[in-house]
Amino acid sequence: MSSIRPFDRYKDKNGKAYQVLTTAISLATEKEEVIVQQLYGGYINISIPEDKFLRIFSKVSDDKPDEKASDEKTSEEKALENEEKLEGTRVKTETPPVTVRPSPATVEAPSDKKDDGEQDPAVRDMLAFLDSDDFDEKYMIVEHMTQNDELNDTYIDNMAASIDIVIDDGPLDGRIRELLKCLGTRKRFENTRLRG
């Protein structure tokens, strides 16, 4: 367990980023576990047995270059590096790698784009959801988007965040059902509260 340290960054087989929070011993199994936090979506904390963790995750290398490696740069790499320094375009960032789910707008073929400035129906529905304060209306918007096959993981994450909930990763249809379930509960709660 000594090679796994808090704040080390790892990625899973899909390239999604995680950070080790700590290690622990499970009371149920008495085996060592690793507690990690997702560095995307809802930043959920997950407890994983150490042996499973080592099979699923790979450590993200530090951004600091090794001195030996920098001495062994090719002449092309050195020339490119000098050119970047001269142009002043080199920017060092400390942000972790992030997996971005494509939105319908980025997946759309060039011929599908509207020239008249009209907004994409999925974006329009998403904005209507975010603007609405009525959970009954939010529920209907999600049903409409589901019927028109407009929902994707990014929209679900944004909708969930706007009503202060987290929908776990998984199959799209399961995430849609979970969002509708939460909206239905909120809808019943708001109607009961307003009557009282």
Side-chain angles (χ1 to χ4, degrees), residues 131-149:
D131 288 340
S132 176
D133 292 328
D134 182 8
F135 282 97
D136 206 16
E137 186 178 342
K138 287 180 182 283
Y139 189 92
M140 289 189 300
I141 290 170
V142 172
E143 282 187 324
H144 170 77
M145 291 180 79
T146 303
Q147 290 170 357
N148 292 324
D149 218 15

Side-chain angles (χ1 to χ4, degrees), residues 80-136:
L80 181 61
E81 190 174 287
N82 289 336
E83 186 177 320
E84 287 175 344
K85 284 179 184 175
L86 290 174
E87 291 176 1
T89 58
R90 174 171 250 179
V91 177
K92 292 186 179 180
T93 58
E94 295 291 326
T95 56
V98 176
T99 303
V100 178
R101 295 180 176 129
S103 69
T106 58
V107 176
E108 194 172 52
S111 61
D112 294 341
K113 292 186 179 175
K114 298 170 180 61
D115 293 331
D116 58 3
E118 189 178 316
Q119 197 173 41
D120 181 29
V123 173
R124 187 184 60 240
D125 291 340
M126 174 68 176
L127 292 174
F129 179 94
L130 296 174
D131 288 340
S132 176
D133 292 328
D134 182 8
F135 282 97
D136 206 16

Side-chain angles (χ1 to χ4, degrees), residues 158-173:
N158 291 335
M159 290 174 165
S162 75
I163 59 172
D164 295 327
I165 63 170
V166 175
I167 305 292
D168 292 332
D169 285 343
L172 185 61
D173 58 338

Side-chain angles (χ1 to χ4, degrees), residues 9-151:
R9 294 184 185 223
Y10 286 81
K11 62 182 177 181
D12 64 12
K13 293 181 180 182
N14 295 325
K16 292 186 178 179
Y18 294 79
Q19 176 174 293
V20 173
L21 296 179
T22 189
T23 55
I25 304 233
S26 169
L27 285 174
T29 63
E30 296 183 2
K31 290 187 177 181
E32 293 182 351
E33 295 197 351
V34 180
I35 314 296
V36 295
Q37 181 182 44
Q38 294 176 340
L39 295 178
Y40 63 93
Y43 291 85
I44 297 170
N45 296 340
I46 304 167
S47 173
I48 306 168
E50 181 188 14
D51 56 339
K52 187 174 182 182
F53 176 84
L54 294 171
R55 285 194 312 268
I56 296 173
F57 294 90
S58 60
K59 188 171 181 181
V60 176
S61 62
D62 294 331
D63 289 336
K64 298 173 187 172
D66 193 8
E67 285 184 21
K68 287 183 183 177
S70 64
D71 290 341
E72 298 172 5
K73 289 180 182 174
T74 65
S75 58
E76 289 177 3
E77 289 174 332
K78 287 179 184 177
L80 181 61
E81 190 174 287
N82 289 336
E83 186 177 320
E84 287 175 344
K85 284 179 184 175
L86 290 174
E87 291 176 1
T89 58
R90 174 171 250 179
V91 177
K92 292 186 179 180
T93 58
E94 295 291 326
T95 56
V98 176
T99 303
V100 178
R101 295 180 176 129
S103 69
T106 58
V107 176
E108 194 172 52
S111 61
D112 294 341
K113 292 186 179 175
K114 298 170 180 61
D115 293 331
D116 58 3
E118 189 178 316
Q119 197 173 41
D120 181 29
V123 173
R124 187 184 60 240
D125 291 340
M126 174 68 176
L127 292 174
F129 179 94
L130 296 174
D131 288 340
S132 176
D133 292 328
D134 182 8
F135 282 97
D136 206 16
E137 186 178 342
K138 287 180 182 283
Y139 189 92
M140 289 189 300
I141 290 170
V142 172
E143 282 187 324
H144 170 77
M145 291 180 79
T146 303
Q147 290 170 357
N148 292 324
D149 218 15
E150 296 174 347
L151 282 173

